[in-house]
Amino acid sequence: MKRITTLGIALVSVLFFTACKKENSINIDQNRIYSNYTIEYDQHSNQTSVKATFRVDHNSGKKIELTYPSRVGFDGESMSYRKIMGQYDFKRSGNAMNRPITYYDIDGKEFSNSGQNISGIDIPIGLNGISKGGNFFLPWNGGPIALGESVIVTISGGSQSGSKTFTVNSVGANYIILDQFKLQNLVAGTATIQIKREVSNSLMQSNLAGGRITSTYKGRKITINILD
């Protein structure tokens, strides 16, 4: 039994390190490098978080670590590489969603793309409880949904063992319905609710492989009571 357990651990370790193996950009045709960027402003922490991931050919390809002089930066500042995650990241205080992410390939070509300065959104002041007894009508503070945008509400934490998400993407909508079916899977007690607005677009500047940039505005985290 001990030998089987040891072999199992060794196999898992091999699979883990194989999955985490990454390619270096110097070994790749630069036109095969796919770029995926996310820019997220969190009102709760008043912080903008930026992530950049590079892959071979498409969004599911092998991750790539850039080889100098290839590099990526946000608004003129270098982004740090996180080897375990296989991605670059950067954080800045305040809302900097419309600032550029600039990527330089190994040949010195420059590609600059900015996040979208989307409308702010937040849970309305005074919300302190949600009933599981039926669909819950939830308006938000902020503009209606624009073309290509989605609004997502997440309920988690507190007395909850998991999380539930609710999404609406109807252009012009200024409210979301939290449907009873999902609400009934929550437990009575406390929880945290947070709303975000998100939009994803193809890159304006890129190589042949292309890429996407996703901009997200997250409202405050609010503690509420889930009621039977």
XYZ file of all heavy atoms in Angstrom, residues 4 6 15 19 25 47 54 56 60 65 117 127-128 159 163 180 189 206:
131
model
N 2.267 1.858 -3.430
C 1.257 2.400 -4.339
C 1.054 3.887 -4.084
O 0.969 4.691 -5.001
C -0.073 1.634 -4.184
C 0.092 0.193 -4.649
C -1.191 2.327 -4.976
C -1.124 -0.671 -4.410
N 3.208 5.975 -2.758
C 4.395 6.697 -3.207
C 4.379 6.892 -4.718
O 4.689 7.971 -5.234
C 5.668 5.924 -2.814
O 5.683 5.756 -1.390
C 6.914 6.696 -3.234
N 2.786 14.933 -13.413
C 1.714 15.582 -14.154
C 1.661 17.071 -13.853
O 1.429 17.884 -14.745
C 0.371 14.925 -13.815
C 0.184 13.494 -14.329
C -1.123 12.909 -13.799
C 0.182 13.456 -15.856
N 2.283 19.963 -16.587
C 1.237 20.951 -16.867
C 1.761 22.368 -16.718
O 1.307 23.287 -17.400
C 0.047 20.719 -15.945
N 9.579 32.756 -25.125
C 9.146 33.449 -26.339
C 10.208 33.468 -27.423
O 9.882 33.589 -28.610
C 8.706 34.879 -26.000
O 9.803 35.662 -25.563
N -8.274 49.873 -5.957
C -7.040 49.402 -6.568
C -7.324 48.825 -7.957
O -8.342 48.170 -8.187
C -6.406 48.329 -5.687
C -5.022 47.894 -6.102
C -4.402 46.957 -5.085
O -4.826 45.813 -4.927
N -3.393 47.427 -4.371
N 0.535 35.186 -21.917
C 0.893 34.935 -23.319
C 0.878 33.428 -23.564
O 1.357 32.646 -22.739
C 2.264 35.533 -23.626
C 2.333 37.017 -23.402
C 2.758 37.537 -22.182
C 1.931 37.902 -24.390
C 2.799 38.903 -21.957
C 1.971 39.276 -24.180
C 2.407 39.772 -22.960
N 0.740 30.105 -26.818
C 1.046 29.722 -28.198
C -0.258 29.573 -28.983
O -1.133 28.785 -28.607
C 1.835 28.411 -28.248
C 2.129 28.027 -29.699
C 3.138 28.518 -27.459
N -6.011 28.728 -25.364
C -5.814 27.465 -24.642
C -4.428 26.881 -24.875
O -4.135 25.770 -24.430
C -6.885 26.445 -25.067
O -8.180 26.917 -24.772
N 6.699 32.394 -21.364
C 7.445 33.396 -20.591
C 8.256 34.230 -21.576
O 8.972 33.680 -22.423
C 8.364 32.733 -19.570
C 9.150 33.735 -18.731
C 10.006 33.084 -17.652
O 9.956 31.853 -17.529
O 10.726 33.820 -16.948
N -12.683 52.376 -20.140
C -13.062 53.097 -18.924
C -14.582 53.000 -18.745
O -15.319 53.974 -18.920
C -12.615 54.558 -19.025
C -12.581 55.233 -17.668
O -12.577 54.569 -16.637
N -12.545 56.553 -17.667
N -29.318 48.160 1.105
C -29.599 46.730 0.965
C -28.938 45.970 2.104
O -27.718 46.010 2.266
C -29.067 46.204 -0.375
C -29.268 44.706 -0.609
C -30.761 44.386 -0.791
C -28.471 44.232 -1.822
N -29.734 45.288 2.900
C -29.163 44.527 4.010
C -29.679 43.100 4.109
O -29.266 42.349 4.982
C -29.392 45.240 5.353
C -30.846 45.618 5.560
O -31.748 44.911 5.119
N -31.073 46.753 6.214
N -21.930 32.852 6.139
C -22.449 31.526 6.482
C -22.447 30.566 5.296
O -22.760 29.375 5.450
C -23.883 31.646 7.012
O -23.965 32.534 8.108
N -20.472 29.704 -3.457
C -20.878 31.000 -3.996
C -21.894 30.794 -5.113
O -21.948 29.732 -5.742
C -19.672 31.776 -4.532
O -19.096 31.088 -5.629
N -34.908 32.599 -8.002
C -35.198 31.827 -6.799
C -34.466 30.486 -6.788
O -34.039 30.013 -5.733
C -36.704 31.603 -6.670
C -37.120 30.862 -5.410
C -38.628 30.636 -5.348
O -39.338 30.909 -6.316
N -39.111 30.149 -4.226
N -28.529 33.057 6.878
C -27.397 33.576 7.646
C -26.756 34.731 6.911
O -27.397 35.379 6.077
N -2.024 44.080 -32.362
C -1.539 42.734 -32.048
C -0.794 42.154 -33.238
O -0.833 42.707 -34.348
C -2.710 41.813 -31.680
O -3.497 41.538 -32.828
